[in-house]
Amino acid sequence: MRRNRRTDWSRRLVRENTLTVDDLIWPLFLTDGNGVEQPVPSMPGVTRYSVDRIVAQAEIAAELGIPALALFPNTDPARRDAMGAEALNPGNLICQACRAIRAAGLPVGIITDVALDPYTSHGHDGLMEGETILNDETVEQLVAQALLQVEAGSDVIAPSDMMDGRVGVIRSALDTAGFQDIQIMSYAAKYASAFYGPFRDAVGTNATLVGDKRTYQMDPANTDEALHEVELDIAEGADMIMVKPGMPYLDIIRRVKDTFLRPTFAYQVSGEYAMIQAAAQNGWIDGERAMMESLMAFKRAGCDGVLTYFAPQAARKLTGKA
């Protein structure tokens, strides 16, 4: 077995999986103001950008060959309420950023998050009555949110809310409104995970979240349930599906890909990113090697692509561009 491993050229020749810049999606955070570049303390190397600065990041993605960006807002607490009304504001951060990137004419896809948690005062992904999430009422609002984002320039609608039936209703609404070519990337198997903490810092929901999300996000103990969720979303019209988090759920990714043979993505979430960065900053691991190894693990498990905060660093490593 060692003969094939002896030289670099031979290792490359027999390599079973490859990672390229085409596999990367770069999540970016938006914030209010002008000229703002605000580091996220719990995510070393990650920054919140005001809309006027987001185009420069999209330009970097285009130069590096990163295919797509995923946008997430940090909404001013003064504009958050129990109904998440800011999600339906055509002038919200996501819509502004979509229009700005589109106006720049850059060859990058825009993926937008459809959920209410960045806009609600209670930090949940849906509307609430007492402590109960109102599924159907939430879906109705998600449809309106999705249509606004597409009108602003989104290419891919990515529902991350985990409400039942939302993919089918959103697909129907998009088709009826003449947006048949807009793709849906469903957060199909999204687990109630402890690995989301730094993300919630980045979008400002850690301070607002009341309770937890275990009534609508998946139990980390379950795998068969993930296949059921994915099957439903595909039947409802999802073009691509996602497993979230990533590294702790490689077994789910493998089962999903083997079962459905559909475009399958993982989200290397904030907690995964922060752990690698923190360990690297302390000199406990080689950060660059750990980054590339973790991304290759997603490809090995069956992913067609990965949402990762490492996207620009990995792209530079893969392409040799500064």
Side-chain angles (χ1 to χ4, degrees), residues 70 72 111-114 158-162 166-167 185-190 229 233 240-244 267 307:
F72 299 92
I111 302 170
T112 50
D113 176 59
V114 172
S160 67
D161 56 287
M162 287 297 284
R166 87 277 203 213
V167 171
M185 175 186 281
S186 173
Y187 287 62
K190 182 178 179 181
E229 288 277 13
D233 284 4
M240 300 170 278
I241 58 91
M242 187 198 303
V243 175
K244 182 182 180 182
Y267 199 141
L307 287 82

Side-chain angles (χ1 to χ4, degrees), residues 38-59:
Q38 188 179 66
V40 179
S42 57
M43 299 176 70
V46 171
T47 300
R48 301 183 195 96
Y49 297 97
S50 53
V51 170
D52 63 306
R53 295 295 178 93
I54 204 66
V55 172
Q57 303 309 305
E59 289 172 346

Side-chain angles (χ1 to χ4, degrees), residues 112-189:
T112 50
D113 176 59
V114 172
L116 299 185
D117 54 320
Y119 309 100
T120 56
S121 52
H122 46 69
H124 280 281
D125 297 58
L127 305 177
M128 300 187 74
E129 186 174 275
E131 296 182 0
T132 301
I133 298 291
L134 302 176
N135 189 93
D136 294 355
E137 292 85 347
T138 297
V139 170
E140 184 178 340
Q141 188 152 322
L142 297 177
V143 168
Q145 182 185 12
L147 290 171
L148 274 181
Q149 292 177 354
V150 171
E151 288 164 0
S154 175
D155 298 295
V156 181
I157 292 299
S160 67
D161 56 287
M162 287 297 284
M163 298 298 115
D164 292 332
R166 87 277 203 213
V167 171
V169 181
I170 290 172
R171 180 73 271 163
S172 177
L174 290 172
D175 292 351
T176 300
F179 297 118
Q180 294 92 340
D181 293 334
I182 296 298
Q183 296 155 277
I184 295 178
M185 175 186 281
S186 173
Y187 287 62

Side-chain angles (χ1 to χ4, degrees), residues 20 45 65 90 109 198 216 251:
T20 76
Y216 51 100
D251 60 320

Side-chain angles (χ1 to χ4, degrees), residues 139 281 291 295 299 315:
V139 170
Q281 288 183 354
M291 169 184 74
L295 294 174
K299 293 292 291 182

